[in-house]
Amino acid sequence: MVKIYQLDAYGGVPAFAERESPQPQAGEVLIRIAACGLNFADLLTIEGTYQDRPTPPVVLGKEFSGTVEVAGQGTTLRPGTRVAVYAGQGGLAEVACIPEARCLPIPDAMPFDVAAGFQVAYGTSHVALDRAALKPGETLLVLGAAGGVGLTAVEVGRAMGATVIACARGADRLDAARAAGAHHLVDTDTQDIRDAVIALGRADVVYDPVGGDQFRSAFRAVNPGARMLAIGFASGDVPQIPANHLMVKNVSVIGVNWGAYLTFDPDTLTDSLRTLVRWYEDGRLTPHIGHRLPFDRTPEALQLLRDRKAVGKIVVEIG
């Protein structure tokens, strides 16, 4: 028997359970899970509002890391291979059977806790900023810059040669953004985003996992021809954008759903993640894990995510 953390019905309360250990089918590998990274999308899954809605029961945890323990027929990964996995579910468990195509071999120098929270956060930022055609010398405004994806946007934007303005609440969060490479800091507790960004010369690209009033303020502080990236709506407020305002300022709004690329363009994710792993090995990326909690404290880890109190990623250590 293996331990899992499962949601039996959308809108319910997930709980620990046990089930028989699965066996890999053809094309699958059995992963002994070491760590699982949490994402805001996990909360939406619990509520039943996430765009992907597998039929319950659902084992929570969209991305994780571990070691191949059993290789199914037709697979090339060998037992003992260290991998990071984005599967959309199944990470909050001791083991999982996963299609080999979802497994990314990771270098020995990458710890499991780092790998567990690496793919979604860094992958989202890299794919998004590539879609925005961020150029060296442009100004990137990152909202929610101390969160799991926000910090990676600061790092990736800096690595791509941009001048980075980081917005976050409070000195501790801004310190984390500065350490990640931000050139300018805006405290959203005490400063007006629009006024602060205009004073710094306006923004060419906006990376927004927050939505709501912050999106609206940032929109008023961009240069003509700016690109605004809609990454998520952690504020709970999905902004409505008057099309005439887009037209007048020649502004583009680009939606980015990283996980959806698996269904229509998986090669984009594969190429992006290979680049990011190289950057990690070269020392260009320094993942920030704000909290590491053991498996039996998973409810507490999810509450930290819900309260938006964490700086960087929250990782549940399983094995």
Side-chain angles (χ1 to χ4, degrees):
M1 302 294 286
V2 295
K3 187 176 181 179
I4 61 176
Y5 192 68
Q6 180 170 281
L7 179 71
D8 289 329
Y10 290 121
V13 178
F16 290 104
E18 290 189 339
R19 70 178 181 189
E20 295 287 340
S21 181
Q23 296 300 311
Q25 303 299 308
E28 293 183 338
V29 293
L30 175 70
I31 306 295
R32 175 66 59 176
I33 298 175
C36 179
L38 299 186
N39 295 279
F40 189 71
D42 291 304
L43 300 182
L44 299 180
T45 296
I46 293 170
E47 296 166 2
T49 57
Y50 193 59
Q51 54 262 31
D52 297 326
R53 288 171 55 90
T55 301
V58 178
V59 177
L60 297 172
K62 297 182 181 301
E63 62 173 335
F64 50 96
S65 63
T67 304
V68 175
E69 194 163 269
V70 181
Q73 183 179 359
T75 58
T76 59
L77 288 175
R78 297 296 90 196
T81 303
R82 304 171 75 252
V83 294
V85 177
Y86 179 82
Q89 59 178 304
L92 288 171
E94 292 177 325
V95 299
C97 286
I98 301 298
E100 182 181 33
R102 297 286 179 91
C103 298
L104 174 73
I106 56 174
D108 290 341
M110 179 179 278
F112 282 126
D113 57 351
V114 169
F118 189 84
Q119 292 184 95
V120 173
Y122 279 101
T124 296
S125 293
H126 187 252
V127 169
L129 294 175
D130 183 68
R131 283 194 60 190
L134 179 68
K135 302 178 184 64
E138 288 192 313
T139 296
L140 168 66
L141 172 62
V142 180
L143 306 179
V149 293
L151 277 177
T152 66
V154 172
E155 275 195 280
V156 173
R158 176 96 183 215
M160 294 174 72
T163 297
V164 181
I165 304 172
C167 293
R169 300 177 60 186
D172 290 347
R173 291 171 176 267
L174 290 172
D175 284 344
R178 181 189 292 110
H183 298 86
H184 305 287
L185 306 172
V186 177
D187 188 338
T188 56
D189 275 343
T190 60
Q191 295 174 270
D192 179 83
I193 292 174
R194 174 182 176 274
D195 291 345
V197 174
I198 288 175
L200 292 168
R202 296 183 179 267
D204 301 300
V205 175
V206 177
Y207 182 98
D208 178 21
V210 180
D213 289 338
Q214 292 200 22
F215 179 98
R216 289 182 277 270
S217 293
F219 184 83
R220 298 169 64 198
V222 297
N223 286 313
R227 292 85 73 199
M228 300 194 66
L229 293 160
I231 305 299
F233 311 102
S235 67
D237 179 351
V238 179
Q240 305 302 301
I241 309 159
N244 60 322
H245 292 183
L246 299 176
M247 179 193 71
V248 168
K249 298 186 72 172
N250 284 293
V251 172
S252 301
V253 178
I254 303 168
V256 181
N257 176 2
W258 183 84
Y261 274 84
L262 287 170
T263 63
F264 70 91
D265 187 9
D267 288 346
T268 288
L269 297 192
T270 300
D271 293 344
S272 171
L273 288 169
R274 285 174 177 162
T275 296
L276 290 165
V277 169
R278 286 198 303 271
W279 286 6
Y280 175 82
E281 291 183 288
D282 292 343
R284 298 174 67 183
L285 303 176
T286 307
H288 184 100
I289 300 174
H291 296 272
R292 298 173 179 84
L293 289 89
F295 194 16
D296 60 4
R297 292 174 63 189
T298 295
E300 182 181 341
L302 287 167
Q303 192 59 46
L304 283 169
L305 188 64
R306 190 174 288 112
D307 292 341
R308 298 174 61 189
K309 292 182 177 179
V311 176
K313 289 292 290 191
I314 300 170
V315 173
V316 174
E317 297 182 315
I318 295 174

